[in-house]
């Protein structure tokens, strides 16, 4: 940790606390994720090892955060990530008014490009797969409410894409790479340019 100067706390991510920091020698701003091991005798968690290995092996992509370094610290380890000015949750939380359709399209497009890139590298995003085992849950049968009644103000293209995301069983759902070619992204309003997107500063 001596090579970094902590500038402040960003928040808590999965498995650890995240700090904004500056590399003492290079001046590079990074996000440090400190992960504590529950019991030292258990060693490095397999799940963490898989995630680190996957991030290290992936080539740079502007839609996937870059892992810059991993090193031990105290009773755990630290991951040094590329620093992001914001995340989507912060954008929505700090928005003065609802996001414009073009902005929503742009954010969804970026998200899908990141997921498609991971899938192309045989990586499934963990937080998108932590769902209940629906085979073990019983539901009271009821007639589904049409999406156009739930979301009366969205375009037919948006409803169609959303419907393809929600298909059951899961293997029938549209893949991220195919979703990027959906008419939703090619009808007005077109996805906003990144310069037109709100970015809360951390």
């Amino acid at each position: 940790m001596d090579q970094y100067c902590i500038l402040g706390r960003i928040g808590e991510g999965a498995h650890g606390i995240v700090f904004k920091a500056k590399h003492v020698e290079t001046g590079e701003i990074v996000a440090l994720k400190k992960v504590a091991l529950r019991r030292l005798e258990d060693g490095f968690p397999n799940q963490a090892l898989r995630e680190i290995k996957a991030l290290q092996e992936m080539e740079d992509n502007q839609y996937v955060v870059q892992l810059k370094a991993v090193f031990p610290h105290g009773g755990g380890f630290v991951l040094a990530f590329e620093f992001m000015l914001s995340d989507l949750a912060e954008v929505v939380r700090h928005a003065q008014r609802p996001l414009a359709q073009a902005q929503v399209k742009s954010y969804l497009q970026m998200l899908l490009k990141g997921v498609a890139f991971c899938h192309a590298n045989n990586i499934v995003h963990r937080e998108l797969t932590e769902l209940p085992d629906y085979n073990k849950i019983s539901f009271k049968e009821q007639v589904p409410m049409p999406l156009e009644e739930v979301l009366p103000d969205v375009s037919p293209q948006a409803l169609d894409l959303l419907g393809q995301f929600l298909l059951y069983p899961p293997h029938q759902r549209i893949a991220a790479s195919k979703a990027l070619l959906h008419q939703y992204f090619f009808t007005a309003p077109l996805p906003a340019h990144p310069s037109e997107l709100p970015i809360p500063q951390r």
Side-chain angles (χ1 to χ4, degrees):
M1 283 289 285
D2 292 343
Q3 66 267 45
Y4 292 99
C5 172
I6 301 294
L7 301 177
R9 177 171 166 154
I10 296 174
E12 281 198 45
H15 312 302
I17 302 171
V18 183
F19 296 92
K20 180 179 180 179
K22 181 168 78 171
H23 194 282
V24 174
E25 291 182 7
T26 66
E28 182 182 25
I29 303 296
V30 297
L32 296 181
K33 184 175 182 178
K34 295 175 72 173
V35 181
L37 297 178
R38 289 187 180 87
R39 296 190 310 170
L40 289 176
E41 60 268 26
D42 289 343
F44 217 74
N46 286 334
Q47 181 180 331
L49 277 173
R50 284 195 299 270
E51 289 181 18
I52 291 167
K53 188 171 186 294
L55 283 167
Q56 287 176 329
E57 289 180 354
M58 286 173 69
E59 59 190 68
D60 288 350
N61 182 279
Q62 63 177 320
Y63 302 108
V64 179
V65 68
Q66 184 183 6
L67 177 64
K68 294 183 169 290
V70 183
F71 52 90
H73 177 69
F77 58 96
V78 176
L79 306 174
F81 286 101
E82 166 189 10
F83 180 75
M84 307 298 292
L85 289 174
S86 181
D87 61 25
L88 191 52
E90 276 191 80
V91 169
V92 173
R93 193 165 45 245
H94 290 91
Q96 301 297 315
R97 54 184 177 273
L99 295 174
Q101 285 188 51
Q103 293 173 327
V104 171
K105 284 187 180 183
S106 186
Y107 283 124
L108 179 57
Q109 193 175 56
M110 287 188 274
L111 175 65
L112 288 171
K113 284 180 178 179
V115 172
F117 179 78
C118 289
H119 289 178
N121 285 271
N122 299 313
I123 295 168
V124 177
H125 190 289
R126 182 181 56 79
E127 291 178 3
L128 297 180
T129 58
E130 282 190 344
L131 298 173
D133 184 349
Y134 290 109
N135 293 320
K136 297 178 181 176
I137 301 174
S138 59
F139 292 96
K140 188 176 179 181
E141 198 165 324
Q142 56 186 28
V143 178
M145 184 180 290
L147 284 176
E148 54 268 25
E149 290 183 22
V150 180
L151 302 165
D153 299 323
V154 302
S155 69
Q157 294 85 4
L159 288 172
D160 182 73
L161 180 57
L162 180 59
Q164 292 192 52
F165 281 139
L166 298 175
L167 283 175
Y168 191 82
H171 71 267
Q172 294 182 4
R173 292 176 193 153
I174 191 169
S177 56
K178 289 187 177 177
L180 287 164
L181 302 175
H182 193 277
Q183 275 301 306
Y184 172 70
F185 294 108
F186 300 96
T187 52
L190 295 176
H193 186 272
S195 64
E196 301 173 295
L197 300 175
I199 303 177
Q201 298 295 310
R202 282 177 169 159

